[in-house]
Amino acid sequence: MRGIIGRTGGKSKIKIKIIDLIPEHKTFVEAFVGGGSVFFGRKDRSEVEVVNDRDPDIFHIYKDTQELGDQLKNTDFRANKTKFERFKKQTKFKSNKERLQRNIYLSLNSFRSDRKSFNPSKLDSQKNPGKNFREAGYQERLKGVKILNQNYDKVIKRFDAPDTFFYLDPPYSRAEANKDFTFNTIDIEDLNKLLRGIKGKFLLSYDDTPAARKVFKGFKISTIKTQYELGEGKKREVKELLISNYRK
């Protein structure tokens, strides 16, 4: 199953490799779920599943899909700039269904799925926009999942246990400068201090910077190749870090 939406920095291209590194666990937690490529890409459910995102719009995509996602099976998601700009400004909704339609629409029709900039290439490229969301069965998959809109540290502290696995994909070091998300900043020093004291296992994705290698020194650190979409069909190959407190 693909991620529920595209997301800047998403893991769709390397999700299989990441999933192969997941150890045995009872509770699965994603504290920065975003589009959920890793969460939805797993073949088997965990006994307890938790997804969290600090962005209210992303939180509502998951929560509203869990409640009524199948009701959007006949929704028209075709690109229209006027409609996109209207949805972008909309903050009040007559129903959760209207809110979900708006949030999915912005993700589908924005540049790099940033939900901010209309992507004119969508005008010509979409044969059946939103098909994946309408047909993949996300509402059924989200049954029983705990969906949260909290700071990551509260989520980690709440669900930490010896049989918990955390997959962490926070905003990278460039996120603030690029204005990738609504909540762009994370202090990796604070994250490091928290992770050094947990009982569970974690796997952290982060960009390969000298600062990150220094801060997380002592954990298992490896690299993985992926590609970043630059627009107009252009891509750039990069290396990212995979940091963990276990070996597999």
Side-chain angles (χ1 to χ4, degrees):
M1 181 179 280
R2 293 167 56 184
I4 194 167
I5 55 171
R7 196 78 170 132
T8 302
K11 295 297 177 286
S12 59
K13 295 179 176 62
I14 55 175
K15 65 180 181 181
I16 300 302
K17 294 181 179 179
I18 291 174
I19 291 168
D20 285 344
L21 295 174
I22 296 177
E24 291 186 8
H25 61 278
K26 173 183 175 182
T27 301
F28 178 93
V29 180
E30 278 209 48
F32 310 89
V33 69
S37 289
V38 172
F39 175 82
F40 289 109
R42 297 172 302 131
K43 293 181 180 180
D44 299 318
R45 293 176 181 253
S46 301
E47 188 173 333
V48 178
E49 296 180 319
V50 183
V51 296
N52 176 75
D53 204 285
R54 189 67 184 84
D55 187 326
D57 283 350
I58 305 304
F59 162 74
H60 283 131
I61 285 176
Y62 282 83
K63 198 67 176 175
D64 293 342
T65 299
Q66 186 183 56
E67 177 188 349
L68 47 80
D70 289 348
Q71 294 182 27
L72 267 64
K73 285 189 173 180
N74 297 317
T75 301
D76 182 3
F77 289 111
R78 285 176 295 180
N80 177 283
K81 186 174 182 179
T82 301
K83 188 175 183 179
F84 182 92
E85 296 299 331
R86 174 168 57 84
F87 274 162
K88 193 169 70 170
K89 296 175 182 177
Q90 187 176 2
T91 58
K92 296 182 179 180
F93 308 93
K94 296 178 182 178
S95 66
N96 291 354
K97 180 179 178 180
E98 182 182 72
R99 180 174 63 193
L100 180 58
Q101 178 184 357
R102 176 257 190 190
N103 282 329
I104 295 295
Y105 189 93
L106 290 179
S107 291
L108 287 173
N109 293 298
S110 54
F111 179 67
R112 294 196 308 150
S113 301
D114 68 0
R115 304 173 49 78
K116 301 173 184 177
S117 309
F118 179 72
N119 187 349
S121 69
K122 299 291 185 179
L123 293 169
D124 302 319
S125 64
Q126 293 179 314
K127 295 182 179 180
N128 191 0
K131 179 181 179 181
N132 178 63
F133 177 79
R134 291 194 301 267
E135 299 180 1
Y138 290 111
Q139 183 174 11
E140 174 63 28
R141 178 62 186 85
L142 287 170
K143 278 186 178 180
V145 177
K146 300 179 189 297
I147 302 171
L148 306 175
N149 175 221
Q150 298 178 5
N151 289 329
Y152 76 88
D153 55 336
K154 291 184 178 180
V155 176
I156 292 175
K157 291 174 183 177
R158 176 180 171 184
F159 292 98
D160 184 32
D163 53 6
T164 297
F165 170 72
F166 299 96
Y167 175 61
L168 306 170
D169 186 23
Y172 286 5
S173 63
R174 301 178 300 275
E176 185 173 14
N178 294 343
K179 298 180 180 179
D180 286 335
F181 311 108
T182 302
F183 297 89
N184 284 301
T185 58
I186 177 174
D187 189 325
I188 59 173
E189 294 275 6
D190 290 341
L191 177 58
N192 171 61
K193 290 177 183 178
L194 178 59
L195 293 178
R196 291 195 185 272
I198 66 172
K199 302 172 185 176
K201 294 182 175 66
F202 78 85
L203 179 62
L204 166 68
S205 291
Y206 205 70
D207 48 339
D208 190 354
T209 66
R213 286 181 175 271
K214 180 179 179 181
V215 168
F216 295 107
K217 184 178 181 180
F219 289 124
K220 182 181 182 296
I221 300 178
S222 60
T223 58
I224 186 170
K225 291 182 179 179
T226 186
Q227 290 183 331
Y228 290 169
E229 303 284 346
L230 303 177
E232 298 180 353
K234 298 179 181 178
K235 299 178 181 179
R236 177 165 62 94
E237 188 171 278
V238 298
K239 287 184 179 180
E240 293 187 350
L241 297 180
L242 290 176
I243 304 164
S244 66
N245 62 348
Y246 65 93
R247 294 184 180 276
K248 186 179 180 183

